[in-house]
Amino acid sequence: MSDIIIRPLTAADRAAWTPLWRGYLTFYKATLPPELDAVTFDRLTGGQEPMGGFIAMRGDEALGMTNWVIHRSTWSERNICYLQDLFTVPEARGTGVGRKLIEAVNEMARAKNCFRVYWQTHESNLQAQELYNKVADKSGFIVYRQPLA
């Protein structure tokens, strides 16, 4: 574990980030057009949006990534951080990489004076929930979605 580096995502990480992003989408059986990869990556690394990411590396091997978004809230004068995406390669699961990625987001959010970090996962993602139940409180809220055409 000590040889794993968690660092902010940079524009130079595109080749390492894309397979992780695609693995995340595959894990959740989501299909997005490949051209959206560039838009998302540019938003995460361009410095113009209130969003960014972290990447977990062991040498030249990318083991995981997380993407975050900071936004306003009606519950506080301070901003809140949404940990939007978190993914580790299958062989890194259960090794502490996910925990380290969450900790990196927490540290960044504290530095930006956010009052909370929150995220969601699918109810079937039991392995991730084992970690999440150790590091955070389950809110009890249910997420609803309404697509807009």
Side-chain angles (χ1 to χ4, degrees):
M1 256 303 275
S2 62
D3 60 339
I4 295 169
I5 305 282
I6 307 293
R7 61 173 175 74
L9 197 60
T10 69
D13 292 320
R14 175 78 189 272
W17 175 87
T18 300
L20 295 169
W21 172 245
R22 287 273 135 200
Y24 174 78
L25 296 175
T26 300
F27 181 84
Y28 281 113
K29 298 175 177 71
T31 304
L32 295 175
E35 57 270 14
L36 190 55
D37 294 1
V39 172
T40 299
F41 188 79
D42 289 346
R43 286 177 177 168
L44 294 170
T45 60
Q48 301 301 311
E49 302 283 344
M51 56 194 315
F54 290 96
I55 192 162
M57 300 293 295
R58 182 173 48 216
D60 293 335
E61 181 185 13
L63 299 177
M65 63 87 189
T66 187
N67 304 319
W68 51 264
V69 178
I70 292 178
H71 62 88
R72 295 190 184 278
S73 171
T74 59
W75 289 57
S76 175
E77 291 180 6
R78 295 163 47 198
N79 287 337
I80 190 168
C81 179
Y82 178 41
L83 191 160
Q84 187 164 11
D85 313 302
L86 177 65
F87 178 78
T88 62
V89 295
E91 53 275 13
R93 294 183 188 145
T95 67
V97 173
R99 181 185 294 261
K100 282 186 157 191
L101 286 164
I102 292 169
E103 289 171 359
V105 173
N106 287 342
E107 288 176 27
M108 174 280 306
R110 274 190 209 93
K112 292 184 178 289
N113 197 32
C114 294
F115 79 98
R116 180 185 300 151
V117 173
Y118 72 102
W119 63 92
Q120 59 184 332
T121 192
H122 195 272
E123 64 187 353
S124 65
N125 192 353
L126 300 177
Q127 186 174 14
Q129 289 179 57
E130 285 183 36
L131 169 61
Y132 301 160
N133 289 333
K134 293 175 186 169
V135 301
D137 297 323
K138 191 183 290 186
S139 70
F141 283 87
I142 299 169
V143 175
Y144 291 89
R145 297 181 183 171
Q146 189 171 48
L148 304 174

